Amino acid sequence: MKQTLENLLEFQKTEIEIDRLNDALGLVTEKLDALDAKQDSFQEAFEKDTAAMEHLKKKYRDFESDSKTNESKIAKSQAKLSAVKTNKEYQALLKEIDDIKGMNSALEDEMLVCLDQMESFEEELAKKSRALKQLKGEIASEKEVIQQEAENNTSQLKKIEQLKGQLAGEIDKNILNDYVRVKRIVKKLALVPVLQAVCQGCHRKIPPQMFIELQRSDQLKFCPHCDRLVFWDKSYE
């Protein structure tokens, strides 16, 4: 019976380890998805800033184009000044030239604002580009670690499952069936020691007679409170 108990305890340990490994493997996809989401979020923000920079550049080019168009209009109007015949026409052309110059002055102010904004954006984009590159490297390294751990856990899981199968073949079928039935009910530990007449599963005292019987033999009994399989071993006291 002592060997059966030892095998059953070892069997329970394999189940605990299998659960742990399965839980770890179950989190692999979640961890990888979280890393992808982190990188995608940073990438999206970087692309948004890049688009804003391109918008500023286009805005500057539009202002520049309008300014050149206005300069051309000014040149044409100035050329007409020598050909006008009346003072009224002359004054009208001068006003037109002044108005266009005024628009160009406003455009130049807008262009200066754009240049300042573009300069700030370029510095910020350069920083974010370096940060994005670093982040991608860090995430790639983290993914490699996660995948390596997953491979190790998968390999370990196969070994533990083989050991579990081997132990199952060495345990009395009736006792193993009892263990499986109890495990299905309590979900966690189905086999627990009794310490000082207290079941370590439900932490309630077992009847004195049952405790005496456990101490006198290597047999297993059912806790009358939680139905777990219980045993006594002085090394646990």
Side-chain angles (χ1 to χ4, degrees):
M1 189 64 186
K2 184 176 181 181
Q3 186 60 52
T4 297
L5 175 58
E6 289 177 356
N7 287 343
L8 194 56
L9 283 168
E10 193 63 28
F11 182 86
Q12 181 167 255
K13 287 180 182 178
T14 64
E15 288 206 315
I16 294 171
E17 183 64 6
I18 286 171
D19 288 342
R20 186 191 71 80
L21 291 170
N22 279 325
D23 287 344
L25 288 170
L27 292 174
V28 170
T29 299
E30 183 180 332
K31 288 179 179 179
L32 292 176
D33 287 346
L35 289 173
D36 284 337
K38 183 179 180 180
Q39 181 172 311
D40 290 344
S41 177
F42 202 105
Q43 180 76 43
E44 185 179 344
F46 178 75
E47 289 175 356
K48 186 177 180 180
D49 287 344
T50 301
M53 179 63 167
E54 290 303 315
H55 176 73
L56 269 177
K57 288 180 177 179
K58 183 181 181 303
K59 190 176 180 181
Y60 180 85
R61 289 193 298 269
D62 289 343
F63 285 148
E64 191 175 39
S65 176
D66 290 343
S67 178
K68 288 180 180 179
T69 298
N70 286 340
E71 287 175 359
S72 178
K73 288 179 179 179
I74 291 172
K76 289 179 180 178
S77 295
Q78 286 176 334
K80 289 179 183 179
L81 284 175
S82 59
V84 296
K85 297 180 179 179
T86 66
N87 185 56
K88 185 177 180 181
E89 290 176 332
Y90 188 83
Q91 293 301 321
L93 277 174
L94 288 178
K95 185 177 184 308
E96 180 180 307
I97 291 170
D98 286 341
D99 288 344
I100 296 173
K101 285 182 177 180
M103 286 188 290
N104 254 17
S105 179
L107 285 172
E108 287 170 359
D109 290 340
E110 293 287 354
M111 289 168 70
L112 287 173
V113 171
C114 276
L115 284 173
D116 287 340
Q117 291 177 338
M118 285 162 60
E119 185 177 351
S120 297
F121 256 99
E122 282 178 354
E123 292 177 1
E124 192 62 28
L125 280 175
K127 290 179 183 177
K128 289 186 176 181
S129 179
R130 291 191 295 270
L132 179 58
K133 184 178 180 181
Q134 181 179 345
L135 178 65
K136 286 181 177 180
E138 291 172 353
I139 286 177
S141 296
E142 288 183 51
K143 281 186 173 182
E144 188 176 342
V145 170
I146 291 171
Q147 289 164 346
Q148 185 60 54
E149 286 179 351
E151 290 177 10
N152 293 339
N153 285 341
T154 300
S155 176
Q156 185 66 15
L157 182 61
K158 290 179 181 178
K159 293 178 182 178
I160 297 295
E161 286 176 337
Q162 287 175 355
L163 176 59
K164 177 184 174 182
Q166 179 184 334
L167 289 167
E170 298 173 1
I171 300 170
D172 180 273
K173 288 185 178 180
N174 291 327
I175 293 177
L176 186 59
N177 287 338
D178 286 338
Y179 172 88
V180 172
R181 178 184 61 79
V182 173
K183 176 69 180 292
R184 191 180 298 118
I185 296 171
V186 300
K187 305 301 181 184
K188 297 180 181 179
L189 296 179
L191 176 65
V192 296
V194 170
L195 303 182
Q196 297 179 358
V198 175
C199 169
Q200 296 306 295
C202 62
H203 302 289
R204 297 174 68 181
K205 279 198 171 186
I206 64 173
Q209 184 59 37
M210 180 184 286
F211 185 48
I212 291 172
E213 290 175 1
L214 283 174
Q215 288 178 302
R216 286 178 177 174
S217 66
D218 294 327
Q219 64 181 314
L220 296 170
K221 289 187 176 296
F222 292 101
C223 173
H225 307 295
C226 66
D227 202 33
R228 287 180 172 86
L229 285 166
V230 294
F231 66 94
W232 181 83
D233 185 336
K234 63 180 180 181
S235 64
Y236 281 82
E237 291 285 1

